[in-house]
Each structure stands twice: as structure tokens, then as C-alpha cells.
Amino acid sequence: MTHSRIPHCRVAAFILFVGLLGGFHAIFAQEQKLSEIEASVQREAFNFAKAYSDLSITKDIPAVVQYMAPELLSTVILHDLQGNIRVIHSDYESFRNYLNKMVQTDGLSIKYNITKVHQLRVHDDTLGVIVYEADYDSKRDTTAWSKGSEIVTMTLKRVGTDWYVIHFTTLAIEDNFLKGACFCEIFGNPNGEFVMQTIMPAAKTYTESSHKVKFWQTAKERFMRVDDRLYRWMPNEDVWAVNERQTDVQFIGYAKTNQELLRLVLQKDIFITNCSQIHIAYK
């Protein structure tokens, strides 16, 4: 299979393909137990997966799409920790758009481990189906985001001596969500003293917590306290984490408004381990 065979088709299956963007290990069926045609289907399916596994390094989109048929369609079923189920139907054009975004995303890596091949069938030497199970572990800038498992059914058609993926169905089950969007609700005066309720991902569930927040200003300086953590907000918009003696301890970033200050402190200091994004709502 060469790079000259680049079809015009499309797919968008986030969980399957983001999983294939990192480290890759596959457990193959024993080829000596397969017919020659079955072995060729298996090799093509996993060559396709390997091209995805290398994409974050190679940035070579044509090396990936060469395995796709023009009529390719996909169905992805996503089951998250909260029990929500989403079904996504897609085709090739959106997949190409997705790949473009992925190669432009810095620091993303996924370990994708195919743990078992459940079934491999070939019909009339022209249509192949492979069913496999896999685990994934995603990271962004070395920080763990999520873990889970997938069951994938991939269908390929034969054109000449080559095989092309024409359809796949993925059931993705998230079982450990380590970092993601966090949601904060503000009750009280957002420019003074208030209570903040927070929902954030934590391992196999989402946790809720309550925090006391206070803004105040002296003749020359501004401060914010979140529970027992104190922050100095400088006139030049620098934000520092400080101790009770108000000596600067750690530079956090810059903020122009109270809301920017709160979001900065939550995402860069207090909830840095769990929250990739902070959503704030005022009640």
C-alpha cells in the first residue's frame, strides 16, 4: 500500500482516532492460523491503525487517509462517567478536518493498546470484517486526561490487491476521567464575598465541593482569598500566590478583571490537576 493511493472520503470519530494518535501496541491473531487473504485483511487494518498511532509525530495526514475508501462512513457510541450516551454518525470530510486540528494540537499523546481480536472474517475474498477490543490512556502536555476502553468493528473492501476501510463502529466506554471541564457556580456578590460550588472530574466519578471566596482592597493593594489560599493582585495585573505574611511565593499569571483573576487562579493553581477548562456561572 503506497501513499499514492489517497482517496476522497471522510470520517469523524473522536474516541477511536484520538486513541490511535499515541503509543500503539496490537495483539494480532496468530497469522499461521489465518488464510492468506485473512492475514492480508488483518495487516491492512493494523497498518491503518499504526499510521494513526504515528500521526502526532509524523504530521502525515496522507499516510493515514490512504487506507480509507471514498464511501467510508462511521458510527461512534460514547458512554461517559455520568452515564450519558452520545451517538455520532460521520464521514470522511469531517475526519480530514479533524486530522488537521489534531496535527496542530501540541502536547497530545495517547497510548492505545489493542488487547484482543475477537473476530476476523472474509467474504468472497472482497469484503473483510475485523472486531477488536482496546484500551486508551490520553495525555496532554504529560498530564493525564482520561482512560477507557473500546470495542471496534471495522469493515474493509478489496480493490485489486489493496484493502480499504469502508465503515467502522466504535463503542467507547470512559471509565476513568482524570482531567476535563470543571463547572463553578457563584452564589453571592461576585465582586466581594461569595460561595462557589464546583463540579470536577475525579477518577471514576465527578466530585462536588464548596469554597469560600473573597475579594478586598487596601489603600495600595488588591487581594483574593479562596478558602485558605491567598493571592496578591498587583497594579500591573500580575497575580501572585502569597503566604499569610503576604510575601510573594509563586507567580500565577495576569488578570484584568475579578472574573479573569478567579478563572486564572482556579485553572492554574487550585484545580490545575483536574480542570482543563473552567466554566463560571453566576446565580
Side-chain angles (χ1 to χ4, degrees):
M1 193 174 290
T2 64
H3 286 214
S4 61
R5 106 174 164 176
I6 301 177
H8 306 284
C9 44
R10 48 185 185 183
V11 179
F14 180 80
I15 296 297
L16 171 63
F17 292 119
V18 76
L20 292 167
L21 287 171
F24 176 85
H25 172 68
I27 297 178
F28 290 80
Q30 296 297 318
E31 292 206 9
Q32 62 267 27
K33 296 181 180 180
L34 302 177
S35 67
E36 181 179 349
I37 195 73
E38 289 171 336
S40 66
V41 170
Q42 181 169 266
R43 284 195 299 270
E44 293 294 82
F46 285 100
N47 285 341
F48 168 63
K50 183 63 167 59
Y52 274 105
S53 74
D54 293 339
L55 184 60
S56 62
I57 299 172
T58 66
K59 312 294 184 183
D60 191 352
I61 294 176
V64 176
V65 298
Q66 64 169 328
Y67 296 98
M68 320 300 282
E71 63 268 35
L72 176 66
L73 298 171
S74 70
T75 300
V76 179
I77 304 169
L78 308 175
H79 184 277
D80 66 22
L81 286 176
Q82 293 179 303
N84 300 315
I85 298 175
R86 286 195 300 144
V87 179
I88 302 172
H89 301 287
S90 189
D91 58 20
Y92 172 73
E93 183 176 338
S94 54
F95 175 50
R96 283 297 297 257
N97 292 336
Y98 167 75
L99 289 182
N100 287 328
K101 293 179 181 179
M102 294 306 301
V103 298
Q104 296 171 15
T105 301
D106 296 327
L108 177 64
S109 65
I110 310 292
K111 290 184 179 180
Y112 192 79
N113 179 30
I114 297 180
T115 57
K116 186 174 184 179
V117 175
H118 289 281
Q119 195 170 41
L120 175 60
R121 296 286 182 86
V122 177
H123 180 67
D124 287 341
D125 292 347
T126 58
L127 187 69
V129 177
I130 186 169
V131 181
Y132 66 81
E133 190 170 345
D135 295 330
Y136 67 87
D137 184 354
S138 63
K139 292 184 178 181
R140 176 77 183 277
D141 297 326
T142 72
T143 301
W145 278 40
S146 66
K147 295 181 181 181
S149 61
E150 300 176 349
I151 298 175
V152 179
T153 300
M154 184 179 293
T155 303
L156 304 90
K157 74 171 184 177
R158 187 180 183 184
V159 179
T161 59
D162 293 322
W163 291 89
Y164 295 87
V165 181
I166 60 173
H167 188 273
F168 67 84
T169 299
T170 300
L171 171 59
I173 302 173
E174 180 182 72
D175 60 24
N176 204 316
F177 194 42
L178 303 176
K179 190 165 185 176
C182 295
F183 302 89
C184 302
E185 293 186 339
I186 304 301
F187 299 88
N189 179 5
N191 296 312
E193 189 170 356
F194 56 88
V195 173
M196 179 179 64
Q197 296 290 128
T198 302
I199 299 176
M200 72 177 69
K204 295 182 179 295
T205 186
Y206 286 79
T207 62
E208 296 186 27
S209 57
S210 179
H211 307 271
K212 292 182 179 180
V213 183
K214 182 179 180 180
F215 292 94
W216 77 94
Q217 184 171 349
T218 66
K220 296 182 179 180
E221 297 179 309
R222 296 174 295 176
F223 297 92
M224 181 183 71
R225 182 185 295 276
V226 180
D227 296 331
D228 59 351
R229 301 191 189 209
L230 183 63
Y231 300 89
R232 184 198 302 269
W233 190 13
M234 308 296 286
N236 65 353
E237 299 177 354
D238 286 6
V239 179
W240 290 81
V242 299
N243 54 27
E244 289 299 330
R245 303 171 80 174
Q246 297 184 13
T247 55
D248 297 340
V249 176
Q250 178 185 357
F251 176 70
I252 304 298
Y254 305 93
K256 294 182 179 180
T257 66
N258 286 11
Q259 184 171 348
E260 286 184 10
L261 173 61
L262 179 61
R263 187 185 304 275
L264 173 72
V265 165
L266 295 179
Q267 188 160 351
K268 298 297 184 179
D269 190 34
I270 297 177
F271 299 146
I272 189 171
T273 301
N274 300 83
C275 302
S276 59
Q277 298 177 356
I278 301 288
H279 299 281
I280 298 176
Y282 297 92
K283 298 297 182 177

